[in-house]
């Protein structure tokens, strides 16, 4: 009798533990933004501002409208398929078909931006160039990128990926503020200074030379990470060039776009490299970026380099969505989509 009672007590205790674990898991899952709500919130943030105030299923978007919306949808897919799922790996990966169908359900006017999905009698995709719309090509491309980045891994393995871009995180002389650009690449998103490169080649006299090639010409070779040691000088010169070009122009870094500032006369002598590294690209599949943290020692207008570095770092961590009044909305992490690839390098630099 005592043994039976003890056994029953043990079973009840296990059941109680299982119930507690299940309840804890359920509570944890309740804090996770579901797939449909996540995509809806991202579409509202990125795509809604690009759509006409009064739109219908009969609208025929212009080429420029199609391109603008496609660029925004690219961010939506990467933020959900990679970043949101990296934090919540139980969520489903949205492929081409599933994302297109969900997007149209949530935003019916997006049907006008689709082509292949509207042709019910076509079952096979054998000619993507002609069968897909601009947005569908973008969706397929973004799905491929997110698969390669792999949300199940802590960090993507970029070994052997070609370096196709340099990026610069420019900070002031006190390491308190930084320069970020708003709406520069994607509407509603902050980004660092970036410059594409096509070819880094070894010049005949043995010095490393950076050469950018017209995109209409065929690129024969792109430098890989394995080549980076011999190309460091070329990458660095391109980074200096990117900073000089940007700071020599009239530009705005204020989120409300109410005013603009100019940093004039910044030269290579005014810049100090504080940190560098290699990061993955969210723009192209299996491509990498040479990233630099540079300090501008020259006094500049406070309006030009005005974003608090601490605020940026806080915006690179935490969930992408928060629930308020029963509705899921995006957090500042989403607004820093183009800075997220460099979060690890920035964090290491901050903790030195």
């Amino acid at each position: 009798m005592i043994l039976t009672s003890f056994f029953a007590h043990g079973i009840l205790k296990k059941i109680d533990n299982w119930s507690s674990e299940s309840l804890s898991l359920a509570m944890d899952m309740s804090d996770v933004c579901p797939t449909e709500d996540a995509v809806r919130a991202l579409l509202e943030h990125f795509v809604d501002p690009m759509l006409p105030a009064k739109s219908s299923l009969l609208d025929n978007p212009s080429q420029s409208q199609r391109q603008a919306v496609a660029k925004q949808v690219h961010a939506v897919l990467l933020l959900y398929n990679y970043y949101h799922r990296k934090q919540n790996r139980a969520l489903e990966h949205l492929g081409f078909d599933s994302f297109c169908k969900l997007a149209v359900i949530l935003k019916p006017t997006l049907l006008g931006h689709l082509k292949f999905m509207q042709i019910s009698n076509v079952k096979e995709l054998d000619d993507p160039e002609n069968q897909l719309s601009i947005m569908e090509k973008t969706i397929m491309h973004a799905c491929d990128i997110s698969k390669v980045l792999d949300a199940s891994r802590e960090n993507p393995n970029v070994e052997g990926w070609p370096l196709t871009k340099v990026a610069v995180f420019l900070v002031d002389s006190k390491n308190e503020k930084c320069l970020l650009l708003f709406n520069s690449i994607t509407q509603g998103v902050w980004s660092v200074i970036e410059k594409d490169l096509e070819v880094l080649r070894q010049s005949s006299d043995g010095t490393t030379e950076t050469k950018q090639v017209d995109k209409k010409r065929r690129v024969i070779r792109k430098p890989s990470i394995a080549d980076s040691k011999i190309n460091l000088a070329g990458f660095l010169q391109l980074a200096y060039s990117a900073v000089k070009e940007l700071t020599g122009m009239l530009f705005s870094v204020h989120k409300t776009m109410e005013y603009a500032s100019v940093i004039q006369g910044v030269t290579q002598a005014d810049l100090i490299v504080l940190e560098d590294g290699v990061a993955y690209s969210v723009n192209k599949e299996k491509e990498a970026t040479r990233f630099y943290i540079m300090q501008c020692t020259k006094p500049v207008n406070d309006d030009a380099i005005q974003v608090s570095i601490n605020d940026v770092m806080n915006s690179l961590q935490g969930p992408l969505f928060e629930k308020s009044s029963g509705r899921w909305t995006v957090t500042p992490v989403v607004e820093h989509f183009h800075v997220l690839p460099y979060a690890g390098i920035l964090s290491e630099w901050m903790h030195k």
Side-chain angles (χ1 to χ4, degrees):
M1 184 73 173
I2 295 175
L3 182 62
T4 304
S5 176
F6 179 78
F7 180 74
H9 176 73
I11 292 293
L12 289 173
K13 187 174 181 180
K14 282 187 177 181
I15 292 175
D16 185 56
N17 288 340
W18 290 336
S19 298
S20 298
E21 290 174 3
S22 298
L23 180 61
S24 176
L25 181 61
M27 290 177 66
D28 289 342
M29 289 305 294
S30 69
D31 294 332
V32 176
C33 182
T35 297
E36 184 173 322
D37 292 310
V39 175
R40 178 188 288 109
L42 289 170
L43 288 174
E44 288 175 353
H45 179 77
F46 286 103
V47 178
D48 278 6
M50 312 300 294
L51 298 175
K54 294 182 179 180
S55 56
S56 71
L57 295 175
L58 300 177
D59 288 343
N60 183 23
S62 66
Q63 184 76 355
S64 60
Q65 288 175 326
R66 292 176 187 274
Q67 291 173 339
V69 170
K71 183 181 289 188
Q72 300 298 104
V73 169
H74 176 92
V76 171
L77 250 166
L78 264 295
L79 282 163
Y80 171 78
N81 262 351
Y82 181 59
Y83 290 107
H84 187 44
R85 289 184 60 251
K86 187 176 181 181
Q87 295 178 350
N88 309 282
R89 296 176 182 178
L91 293 174
E92 66 173 310
H93 177 276
L94 291 177
F96 175 77
D97 287 340
S98 55
F99 179 82
C100 287
K101 291 174 182 176
L102 179 57
V104 170
I105 290 172
L106 297 175
K107 301 291 175 184
T109 52
L110 287 179
L111 188 62
H113 292 261
L114 302 179
K115 183 178 179 181
F116 180 74
M117 297 299 291
Q118 292 192 50
I119 307 174
S120 58
N121 61 333
V122 178
K123 302 298 182 182
E124 295 295 330
L125 180 62
D126 49 24
D127 186 11
E129 188 61 34
N130 293 315
Q131 287 178 282
L132 298 179
S133 66
I134 296 173
M135 193 171 91
E136 286 170 327
K137 291 176 184 176
T138 299
I139 292 170
M140 189 165 286
H141 183 52
C143 286
D144 291 340
I145 295 174
S146 62
K147 278 187 177 180
V148 168
L149 294 180
D150 192 355
S152 67
R153 298 174 62 98
E154 188 64 29
N155 292 298
N157 180 12
V158 298
E159 188 65 34
W161 292 7
L163 291 157
T164 58
K165 181 172 61 178
V166 294
V168 179
F169 185 75
L170 188 65
V171 303
D172 65 1
S173 58
K174 298 179 181 179
N175 288 353
E176 294 176 352
K177 295 183 178 181
C178 64
L179 186 153
L180 290 183
L181 306 173
F182 195 65
N183 295 337
S184 175
I185 301 174
T186 303
Q187 295 296 304
V189 176
W190 294 94
S191 60
V192 298
I193 301 171
E194 294 187 356
K195 193 175 184 69
D196 290 331
L197 61 95
E198 296 296 344
V199 175
L200 283 179
R201 64 180 178 84
Q202 199 76 8
S203 64
S204 57
D205 61 359
T207 60
T208 304
E209 180 182 0
T210 302
K211 184 177 181 180
Q212 287 185 282
V213 180
D214 188 332
K215 292 184 182 295
K216 293 181 180 179
R217 292 168 55 188
R218 185 170 67 91
V219 177
I220 298 174
R221 179 178 178 274
K222 295 178 181 178
S224 68
I225 295 171
D227 301 323
S228 62
K229 290 184 179 179
I230 63 171
N231 287 321
L232 283 178
F235 288 120
L236 187 54
Q237 286 302 317
L238 189 61
Y240 284 139
S241 173
V243 174
K244 186 177 180 180
E245 283 181 18
L246 182 62
T247 56
M249 297 186 299
L250 182 68
F251 66 96
S252 172
V253 293
H254 196 270
K255 189 173 181 179
T256 58
M257 307 296 281
E258 291 176 351
Y259 58 85
S261 305
V262 180
I263 309 177
Q264 293 182 337
V266 172
T267 65
Q268 182 173 326
D270 302 315
L271 301 171
I272 299 175
V273 177
L274 303 178
E275 191 77 26
D276 67 347
V278 175
Y280 59 88
S281 171
V282 292
N283 298 321
K284 297 179 181 179
E285 182 183 353
K286 290 186 178 181
E287 293 193 1
T289 302
R290 190 78 195 178
F291 178 65
Y292 297 92
I293 300 174
M294 288 188 182
Q295 182 185 68
C296 181
T297 59
K298 182 176 182 177
V300 296
N301 189 319
D302 287 341
D303 293 339
I305 301 182
Q306 63 159 0
V307 184
S308 165
I309 294 176
N310 286 332
D311 288 347
V312 173
M313 296 308 298
N314 289 333
S315 298
L316 297 179
Q317 53 191 328
L320 278 68
F321 307 95
E322 60 185 2
K323 199 170 189 179
S324 177
S325 302
R327 185 175 181 81
W328 289 97
T329 57
V330 300
T331 67
V333 177
V334 166
E335 297 178 354
H336 290 76
F337 167 56
H338 288 297
V339 188
L340 288 174
Y342 317 117
I345 301 173
L346 287 169
S347 180
E348 288 181 8
W349 169 66
M350 287 288 289
H351 287 90
K352 284 186 176 180

